[in-house]
Amino acid sequence: MKHFAVKTLINAAAIWVAAWIVSGITLSNGDWQHQTLTVLAVAVIFGVVNWLIKPVVKLFSFPLFILTLGLITFVINALMLWLTSFASDKLNLDFHVTGFWPALLGSLIISLVSWGLNMAVGDDD
């Protein structure tokens, strides 16, 4: 449970940074408490999407992994962020990604920030 909470907080921080940097990713315009709750809910959705759907997409796109030498991973990550935006809209959360290019740039930023924070926090295993 601790591992899930730490991963969710890291994803929330990474999503918040991506929304702050990328103009095509919008977060709620409310006060900081509303933004915090929104970004935590979006981080949970993002984690569930990456846990359930991403492995299936990677399996079916395996030939593209070989053909593009793994660069298709960036596109898959962008699509997972875009799918998170769609699910957030359906759940009436104030998080939206306006198109593919902001999703691609946002997914790169989320990957870098998550990687950095995971390196800083370390792993208990």
Side-chain angles (χ1 to χ4, degrees), residues 2-75:
K2 180 181 174 186
H3 183 68
F4 172 75
V6 170
K7 294 280 283 182
T8 301
L9 290 174
I10 288 173
N11 278 338
I15 291 168
W16 206 327
V17 169
W20 178 56
I21 293 175
V22 180
S23 63
I25 300 175
T26 56
L27 205 52
S28 67
N29 291 329
D31 57 350
W32 68 271
Q33 290 109 350
H34 182 68
Q35 279 188 345
T36 303
L37 291 175
T38 300
V39 80
L40 285 173
V42 170
V44 169
I45 294 169
F46 187 65
V48 169
V49 165
N50 280 328
W51 180 65
L52 284 176
I53 298 171
K54 190 174 182 179
V56 175
V57 171
K58 285 177 113 176
L59 177 69
F60 287 122
S61 63
F62 184 70
L64 290 174
F65 274 97
I66 295 170
L67 186 64
T68 65
L69 301 175
L71 291 177
I72 194 70
T73 304
F74 297 121
V75 174

Side-chain angles (χ1 to χ4, degrees), residues 41-42 45 83-96:
V42 170
I45 294 169
L83 184 60
T84 301
S85 171
F86 176 76
S88 297
D89 286 342
K90 294 298 178 189
L91 294 172
N92 294 324
L93 295 173
D94 296 328
F95 176 76
H96 189 68

Side-chain angles (χ1 to χ4, degrees), residues 93-111:
L93 295 173
D94 296 328
F95 176 76
H96 189 68
V97 179
T98 58
F100 175 74
W101 295 111
L104 184 65
L105 184 58
S107 69
L108 289 172
I109 292 170
I110 290 170
S111 296

